[in-house]
Amino acid sequence: MTKSTMLMLPGDGIGPEVIREVRRIIDWLTRRRNFELEISVDLVGGCAIDKHGVPLTDETMARAMEVDAVLLGAVGGPKWDSLPFAIKPERGLLRLRKEMGLFANLRPALCYDSLVDASTLKPEIVRGLDIMIVRELTGGVYFGEPRGITTLPDGQRQGLNTQVYTTEEIRRIARVAFELARTRSNRLTSTEKANVMESGLLWREEVQWVHDNEYPDVNLSHMYADNAAMQLVRAPKQFDVIVSDNLFGDILSDEASMLTGSLGMLPSASIGAKGANGKRKAMYEPIHGSAPDIAGQGIANPIAAILSFAMALRYTFDRAADAELVEKSIVNVLDSGLRTGDIMQTGKARVSTGVMGDAIVRELDKLGG
Ligand code: NAD
């Protein structure tokens, strides 16, 4: 059997601090579950600018194209804020997404029982919440041409962006969403504005086509995006998987993730086309940034990064049982009352990044035998 491969890009700020804890989970899986993972570690973002003058070197990009998965920490920070846009730390991330062709962004929104009070919604609305938002990431109005700001003959300025999608762009993201639905509760809600946008009508027709021809067993419903935004705060548990275009998905995924509380708890995956090895290109990363306000203090929450790695176990490495083990360990540690500062509640024990990592590894020991 060939070894699985991963490129680790811890990045800046709290990135290296949270990725260090992921390393400990991987070491545990290697020791106790025979998970052979070949890891290369490299620079991205501000630290790459400091060393090489660019946020991502060609060599690192080439490695990212070779491996089964990339795991990223976070990039950016005040030190590099005044750089020109073309060489800012975030350009490293954008280059990875673009050259790896990562067209699908997966964001789970899961509400842990022990953190139910961290949500701004009533406990009964969010308790047990488990939804997945699939957002199209490389098309639509953020990339459509023509675009720009022009001055009209009468002197007014006009801003223009173009919402554009093709059959294939819609079908490929729909397939990712249908496949995910099959591994969950088999329900998919597709969102658009077919009532007022032609691109929305095409979206609806193509998602329906993929359903009828390839995934007739999945329970598909269509919903206008504005209604979906409302339903997400009214009754979010009605959803399982939601698929959306780039613009509506941007908004719906942020809305859904905030149902569950802290930034330090939220993982994500970005998925591309299948390569020669039959695996989809993939990059996993916590949603949070480099948190310069707490970097270097050893107090960041490592759970978003660890959960991002659990997504890699499930979606790239076909190790769903190990993913469940990691997720269950996190649930148990939270139930035991340990909290990093970002999820601190009265009566609970405030712990550092490392102590949270220790506790998760100890729980793995208990659960994994
Ligand atoms: P941020 O996510 O870094 O931080 C927002 C707030 O949440 C801060 O108060 C921070 O301390 C807290 N926080 C975030 N993650 C946490 C964790 N794991 N544990 C505990 N607290 C946590 O967003 P920001 O402050 O807007 O941006 C800071 C830098 O990160 C900027 O340079 C920005 O460009 C960059 N950024 C990078 C990414 C990325 O790498 N994907 C994403 C967002 C922002």
Side-chain angles (χ1 to χ4, degrees):
M1 220 178 94
T2 52
K3 247 189 186 178
S4 299
T5 54
M6 191 165 81
L7 171 64
M8 262 187 186
L9 300 171
D12 307 316
I14 61 167
E17 299 171 38
V18 296
I19 295 294
R20 194 173 305 131
E21 302 308 314
V22 177
R23 271 310 273 260
R24 302 176 62 197
I25 307 294
I26 297 171
D27 290 346
W28 188 91
L29 289 168
T30 305
R31 248 186 0 257
R32 304 291 289 269
R33 307 273 298 175
N34 283 331
F35 180 35
E36 297 219 7
L37 182 62
E38 188 185 305
I39 300 173
S40 19
V41 184
D42 215 328
L43 303 177
V44 69
C47 55
I49 295 173
D50 288 349
K51 174 124 192 245
H52 303 294
V54 288
L56 188 79
T57 64
D58 292 344
E59 292 72 32
T60 314
M61 187 64 238
R63 183 69 190 142
M65 297 298 279
E66 282 166 13
V67 291
D68 297 326
V70 175
L71 180 72
L72 189 125
V75 298
K79 183 175 175 194
W80 306 281
D81 274 354
S82 54
L83 289 177
F85 186 69
I87 54 158
K88 268 192 183 309
E90 289 75 10
R91 296 296 291 187
L93 256 186
L94 295 179
R95 181 173 179 198
L96 282 162
R97 286 185 187 143
K98 181 151 184 268
E99 293 190 25
M100 290 171 76
L102 304 175
F103 63 84
N105 185 234
L106 275 48
R107 280 224 213 158
L110 204 126
C111 189
Y112 294 91
D113 273 359
S114 50
L115 297 182
V116 100
D117 294 326
S119 174
T120 47
L121 297 194
K122 292 186 191 124
E124 63 269 27
I125 305 285
V126 289
R127 182 170 286 117
L129 179 77
D130 179 4
I131 58 185
M132 175 75 83
I133 310 259
V134 180
R135 166 188 170 193
E136 203 288 328
L137 205 56
T138 53
V141 74
Y142 293 162
F143 296 95
E145 301 277 351
R147 60 186 299 159
I149 299 177
T150 50
T151 303
L152 300 174
D154 67 359
Q156 291 197 71
R157 295 205 304 151
Q158 174 181 268
L160 174 71
N161 291 92
T162 304
Q163 167 80 339
V164 56
Y165 273 107
T166 60
T167 304
E168 213 26 67
E169 282 175 317
I170 300 169
R171 288 186 184 179
R172 67 181 184 177
I173 185 86
R175 288 184 183 111
V176 169
F178 279 116
E179 279 168 27
L180 268 171
R182 272 185 179 163
T183 66
R184 296 168 49 96
S185 305
N186 217 34
R187 287 182 294 121
L188 175 64
T189 308
S190 171
T191 65
E192 26 56 19
K193 290 284 288 173
N195 49 342
V196 287
M197 296 169 75
E198 283 74 12
S199 59
L201 186 58
L202 184 77
W203 182 280
R204 182 175 285 224
E205 289 173 359
E206 292 301 339
V207 173
Q208 189 66 47
W209 187 94
V210 175
H211 172 267
D212 297 350
N213 289 279
E214 300 174 19
Y215 301 90
D217 52 300
V218 177
N219 190 339
L220 169 69
S221 56
H222 301 276
M223 190 180 275
Y224 296 138
D226 50 340
N227 186 26
M230 196 173 72
Q231 296 298 331
L232 268 176
V233 285
R234 195 188 71 84
K237 282 185 268 185
Q238 69 185 282
F239 296 111
D240 179 23
V241 180
I242 298 177
V243 64
S244 239
D245 73 9
N246 203 344
L247 172 64
F248 297 135
D250 193 1
I251 296 164
L252 294 177
S253 60
D254 268 12
E255 184 189 3
S257 59
M258 276 302 106
L259 297 176
T260 66
S262 166
L263 223 44
M265 296 290 300
L266 297 165
S268 79
S270 299
I271 307 281
K274 284 186 182 157
N277 60 0
K279 283 181 192 264
R280 290 186 181 276
K281 291 233 164 306
M283 179 158 82
Y284 298 89
E285 57 182 312
I287 285 177
H288 62 72
S290 57
D293 54 335
I294 58 165
Q297 299 176 32
I299 57 172
N301 187 348
I303 294 179
I306 295 173
L307 288 173
S308 300
F309 176 69
M311 290 183 84
L313 287 171
R314 183 171 275 119
Y315 298 124
T316 293
F317 300 123
D318 297 324
R319 297 181 74 98
D322 288 342
E324 270 165 39
L325 204 57
V326 173
E327 289 158 355
K328 180 79 181 115
S329 301
I330 290 171
V331 168
N332 290 357
V333 167
L334 293 172
D335 286 348
S336 78
L338 299 194
R339 301 281 186 275
T340 43
D342 58 312
I343 51 173
M344 187 58 195
Q345 296 161 300
T346 31
K348 305 296 179 192
R350 184 191 290 258
V351 298
S352 65
T353 311
V355 170
M356 182 57 93
D358 285 342
I360 295 168
V361 171
R362 250 198 328 274
E363 203 53 43
L364 280 170
D365 274 337
K366 275 194 218 155
L367 292 175

